[in-house]
Amino acid sequence: MTTRTLRIVLLLGLLLLFFGGSYTQARELQRPMPRPQTALVPTIYINQSFDSPNFPPANWATTIITATDTPEPEWTHVTSATRPTAQPHSGAGMAHFNSYSTSNGNAARLSTALTPTTTVLRASFWYYHSAIFPTSADTLLVQTSNDGQNYTTRASYPRYRATDGWTQYQLDLPFASVGQQFYLGFLGISDFGANLLIDDVVIQDTPPIEIFGTTSNQGCAGDTLLYPLSVRNNYPNSQTINLNLAPSAWPSSLPFNTLTIPAQSSRPITVSVRIPATAQPRTSDQTTLQLSNELVELNQAIVTNCSLGHWLDREDSLLAARYSAVVSADGALFQIGGQGPNNNSPALPNTLRYQPNTDSWQQRAPLPIATFGTDAATLNGEIYLVGGYRNGGSTTTGLISDLQIYSPTLDVWRSGPNLPTPLAYYQAAVLAGKLYIIGGSNGNNALASVWIFDPASQQWTAGPAMSTARAFASAGVVDNKLYMAGGTATISNQTALDTMEFYDPSLNVWLAAPNLPRRQMQGGDAQILDRFFVITTGYSMPVVASNSSLIFDQQTNEWSEVLLNSSRYGAEADSINDTVFVVGGRQFANNTFTMSSRNESFQICRFVLTTATPTPTNTHTATATVTNSPTNTPTAITSPTNTNTPTISPTPTNSQMPTATSSATISLTPTNSQTPTITTTPPSSTPTHSPTATLSQTPTTSATPPTNTPTATQPIGLRKVFLPLVGNQAR
């Protein structure tokens, strides 16, 4: 090879090496890069609890907007508050606007600045509502601004509410500009009422994928429950989401396996879960809805509970009111009196009758004395209504002690002997043919007193007082015992109780009973099957209005829960033929309280009905001949041996002493290899469910034992589990 040829070869090799390496590098750059994974944990820009006395905090400002006189409106830091009396929602401090001391219309803004990295922000905060000065419209406005000067109002929250307490609010702010400064303001406006309080302000990114809807529900064994959910895509572009359900014990299914959601839009999906027919009440199962694609992975638990029953909507009452008396009589339900449409309204004179067979309401003879805050009970076919308020308000004004008696068959009211003292917000019950008025309020204090009315003597007498003073409580008579649950021991600052006690008339004392699962007051009450004590709706701070019905099983001493279709308090309830109805009350929706005419009924599951009152029966009996007569109530005690002879178990009635005869009928519980041995027991003067026999000889039976063992119907054992409150209300 010549030198020239060698040079050419080397040059070509160098060129090939250079261009080949460049091509390889280009191919590497053209490989698809992995898409970045978006974390579901949002960025938190503001998390302020106002705990430091240095106020306003860093990146916050206060600005007086309107000041007509002194003192000027202002936002300050406080560790506790008066007018209203309140403590911080968390930590050592809270932000305070002086509505109480500054004039009507004066306003000041508390604001903060941030620079978001997303186009959607979510703000949440806790706001204190108070019941004092109900006519003063002190208001909090939530506002936003892009320049810190010109603000736009996004939401308005009145300060007044019938019940004091903290409420959490949340709103999305889809108007932030990425990378540009953004302002959030809280504008307090005084109406010379009570002060405004806020705490725990959080501003963060909105999660990229969200699931909305009820993810916990309950039904009877054999029911199929549907969970209508909504999946939202907060990304700026369309997303295709893969759907899957994790394995679960109870069958569950999806309508499809993929879901395409346009940018910043929502799409529905329904999950189906079937409760097996063999499931027992108070059991539950969980499946998990799994959403995923290249960007996200999100799991949502779905919990299904096997319940004692469920609530159904019925025909609404003709009247929207709270604190009515609701009572059943003559196969119908009656709603008597009440208050509406607001806190200061006078009592209503209505007597309304609901016929469950036609699902309809009718007007009946009005009350002679209109009243609210009463309870009613049916005694000897007539409805007894005692005391209550005639006027609105929470003082002793208009508090009465009158006894009003109604005949459902004649549609006539008449008067009876007055209660010895004016009362309201008590509980009424009938026990052993007498009317009991338990607890309540005298306008200033909750009471532990018990008054008993005897219709035969037409006299009131004092009964044994409860261990705890209770107003706004719930009462029920189950198994000849009078239960009193929840309520409040104070009137001025109503704090719900979670205790329960019962009155045993045979001992004439009050005894402790299992506590409620949580604090509860202003709920309705009823009983089912002489076994279940039901407390419907009510409220327990910080929950303002509840859709919970708590059910106490007297046989097992267990609580469980079944949710109504609406949230209410101040409603009343009673049962007709083992169906509970709850009527009226005060609803809370869209940050507004309204009087309700809602009527719902509780249907107990068929499974519970078939096992609530078991009656044991034996399938095999034999007759034995005895050489002497038993002298007392007999029971056989067996000692097994290796022969095939039945076990003898005589079972007399519990209401009278047995009569001795020359022959006895003996219930046999045979086995394959047992011989009974009869032992003697000293006579007993009181018959029991487990009687004892005195026999001097072993009887000779004429029965041939069968090869199988007879069984008796028994109640199915229930797990001691309380089903927690389900729902998505932030309170």
Side-chain angles (χ1 to χ4, degrees):
M1 179 181 297
T2 64
T3 302
R4 182 178 179 182
T5 302
L6 180 60
R7 289 176 178 173
I8 293 172
V9 171
L10 291 173
L11 179 61
L12 290 174
L14 291 172
L15 291 172
L16 180 61
L17 179 63
F18 175 78
F19 286 108
S22 299
Y23 176 68
T24 302
Q25 185 180 16
R27 284 193 304 173
E28 282 291 327
L29 293 175
Q30 290 173 2
R31 287 181 182 177
M33 298 296 292
R35 298 181 68 179
Q37 299 294 310
T38 302
L40 290 180
V41 179
T43 299
I44 296 177
Y45 302 99
I46 301 292
N47 187 1
Q48 182 56 248
S49 294
F50 306 108
D51 292 337
S52 171
N54 297 323
F55 193 89
N59 297 321
W60 288 76
T62 60
T63 307
I64 296 177
I65 305 301
T66 304
T68 59
D69 58 8
T70 57
E72 293 183 341
E74 61 178 347
W75 285 92
T76 58
H77 165 270
V78 296
T79 57
S80 62
T82 58
R83 304 184 188 93
T85 301
Q87 299 298 318
H89 175 260
S90 72
M94 54 188 163
H96 171 282
F97 175 74
N98 60 327
S99 302
Y100 176 80
S101 59
T102 195
S103 299
N104 301 46
N106 283 357
R109 181 184 296 117
L110 176 65
S111 61
T112 184
L114 62 147
T115 303
T117 59
T118 182
T119 58
V120 181
L121 291 177
R122 175 165 294 169
S124 67
F125 64 97
W126 288 85
Y127 180 47
Y128 195 87
H129 290 281
S130 56
I132 57 177
F133 309 117
T135 59
S136 298
D138 311 304
T139 304
L140 180 73
L141 302 183
V142 177
Q143 302 177 316
T144 61
S145 173
N146 292 324
D147 58 11
Q149 300 296 323
N150 301 295
Y151 279 83
T152 301
T153 297
R154 302 299 177 179
S156 175
Y157 303 98
R159 183 270 312 162
Y160 171 75
R161 182 182 289 170
T163 306
D164 291 354
W166 289 99
T167 298
Q168 185 182 34
Y169 291 99
Q170 177 178 286
L171 65 159
D172 286 344
L173 311 172
F175 31 76
S177 298
V178 174
Q180 296 183 11
Q181 200 162 40
F182 172 78
Y183 298 85
L184 177 70
F186 296 93
L187 182 67
I189 303 176
S190 169
D191 197 34
F192 205 52
N195 297 315
L196 307 183
L197 304 169
I198 63 172
D199 203 356
D200 296 329
V201 178
V202 176
I203 304 176
Q204 60 187 7
D205 292 337
T206 302
I209 300 291
E210 294 182 283
I211 299 176
F212 298 93
T214 300
T215 55
S216 181
N217 208 344
Q218 52 197 345
C220 296
D223 286 352
T224 296
L225 302 186
L226 301 180
Y227 294 87
L229 306 175
S230 177
V231 182
R232 178 170 177 81
N233 169 28
N234 291 319
Y235 282 107
N237 56 345
S238 176
Q239 296 292 318
T240 298
I241 308 294
N242 299 316
L243 307 174
N244 186 46
L245 285 175
S248 58
W250 295 354
S252 57
S253 62
L254 289 166
F256 38 76
N257 294 323
T258 60
L259 182 65
T260 299
I261 311 174
Q264 296 183 341
S265 300
S266 300
R267 288 293 181 267
I269 180 175
T270 299
V271 178
S272 172
V273 178
R274 182 173 64 85
I275 304 176
T278 56
Q280 295 185 11
R282 304 184 182 90
T283 60
S284 63
D285 186 50
Q286 175 179 308
T287 187
T288 301
L289 174 61
Q290 301 169 335
L291 290 77
S292 63
N293 64 7
E294 294 179 340
L295 291 175
V296 298
E297 182 175 335
L298 179 62
N299 296 328
Q300 176 63 61
I302 296 175
V303 179
T304 303
N305 302 300
C306 184
S307 175
L308 291 171
H310 51 86
W311 286 91
L312 303 173
D313 285 327
R314 297 292 188 122
E315 180 67 21
D316 285 353
S317 170
L318 301 176
L319 184 71
R322 66 172 178 174
Y323 302 149
S324 298
V326 173
V327 62
S328 62
D330 196 28
L333 194 74
F334 291 83
Q335 181 186 9
I336 304 168
Q339 184 189 34
N342 56 55
N343 287 352
N344 296 315
S345 298
L348 300 168
N350 58 278
T351 302
L352 303 177
R353 181 177 66 182
Y354 172 74
Q355 297 283 13
N357 55 340
T358 60
D359 194 27
S360 61
W361 291 86
Q362 304 91 29
Q363 294 272 6
R364 306 295 284 171
L367 271 167
I369 305 174
T371 185
F372 70 87
T374 62
D375 196 17
T378 301
L379 177 61
N380 299 330
E382 294 185 309
I383 296 173
Y384 284 68
L385 187 77
V386 179
Y389 277 106
R390 299 200 63 181
N391 303 326
S394 58
T395 67
T396 55
T397 303
L399 193 61
I400 62 175
S401 60
D402 300 68
L403 171 60
Q404 303 182 78
I405 306 171
Y406 176 72
S407 170
T409 56
L410 300 177
D411 189 26
V412 172
W413 284 94
R414 74 176 193 274
S415 298
N418 284 4
L419 190 71
T421 182
L423 284 181
Y425 306 131
Y426 58 84
Q427 293 303 301
V430 171
L431 194 62
K434 296 181 181 180
L435 175 67
Y436 284 68
I437 302 298
I438 315 107
S441 166
N442 60 10
N444 296 316
N445 302 300
L447 304 171
S449 60
V450 176
W451 292 100
I452 305 173
F453 179 72
D454 186 345
S457 65
Q458 293 287 295
Q459 297 291 322
W460 288 97
T461 58
M466 293 182 291
S467 64
T468 302
R470 300 176 191 269
F472 297 110
S474 298
V477 177
V478 181
D479 192 26
N480 201 39
K481 296 178 178 63
L482 173 56
Y483 287 83
M484 284 288 288
T488 180
T490 57
I491 299 300
S492 58
N493 183 17
Q494 295 178 6
T495 301
L497 300 169
D498 63 357
T499 58
M500 182 168 70
E501 54 189 308
F502 71 93
Y503 172 68
D504 188 335
S506 64
L507 302 175
N508 196 34
V509 294
W510 288 90
L511 301 171
N515 283 2
L516 282 67
R518 63 177 168 276
R519 299 175 184 272
Q520 188 90 352
M521 61 182 290
Q522 292 202 31
D525 46 53
Q527 46 272 330
I528 308 176
L529 300 172
D530 197 31
R531 171 177 174 179
F532 299 102
F533 171 33
V534 183
I535 303 175
T536 66
T537 65
Y539 75 79
S540 174
M541 297 303 298
V543 177
V544 174
S546 172
N547 68 333
S548 164
S549 54
L550 300 176
I551 303 177
F552 178 69
D553 187 340
Q554 193 267 349
Q555 290 188 10
T556 62
N557 275 352
E558 295 172 329
W559 286 98
S560 57
E561 181 179 59
V562 181
L563 300 183
L564 285 84
N565 299 323
S566 61
S567 298
R568 292 179 268 167
Y569 73 90
E572 270 297 341
D574 206 354
S575 57
I576 304 175
N577 298 329
D578 301 330
T579 299
V580 175
F581 296 84
V582 58
V583 181
R586 202 170 188 224
Q587 288 184 286
F588 179 73
N590 300 320
N591 300 323
T592 303
F593 282 103
T594 56
M595 298 298 181
S596 175
S597 61
R598 196 86 178 253
N599 177 22
E600 295 179 53
S601 70
F602 177 72
Q603 304 297 123
I604 199 164
C605 295
R606 291 187 299 272
F607 174 85
V608 179
L609 285 172
T610 58
T611 59
T613 53
T615 304
T617 56
N618 292 327
T619 57
H620 301 281
T621 59
T623 302
T625 302
V626 187
T627 58
N628 67 333
S629 299
T631 60
N632 202 15
T633 313
T635 288
I637 302 175
T638 65
S639 300
T641 64
N642 291 325
T643 60
N644 189 12
T645 306
T647 301
I648 303 173
S649 300
T651 308
T653 63
N654 195 34
S655 60
Q656 58 184 351
M657 295 296 291
T659 302
T661 60
S662 60
S663 62
T665 300
I666 301 174
S667 172
L668 300 181
T669 306
T671 61
N672 288 332
S673 60
Q674 289 188 347
T675 300
T677 300
I678 308 300
T679 62
T680 61
T681 304
S684 171
S685 60
T686 304
T688 65
H689 287 290
S690 300
T692 304
T694 302
L695 303 177
S696 60
Q697 298 183 20
T698 303
T700 304
T701 66
S702 58
T704 302
T707 57
N708 64 325
T709 302
T711 59
T713 304
Q714 297 291 339
I716 295 178
L718 304 177
R719 293 176 58 195
K720 295 188 176 181
V721 175
F722 168 68
L723 303 181
L725 176 67
V726 293
N728 54 8
Q729 241 181 342
R731 291 280 184 266

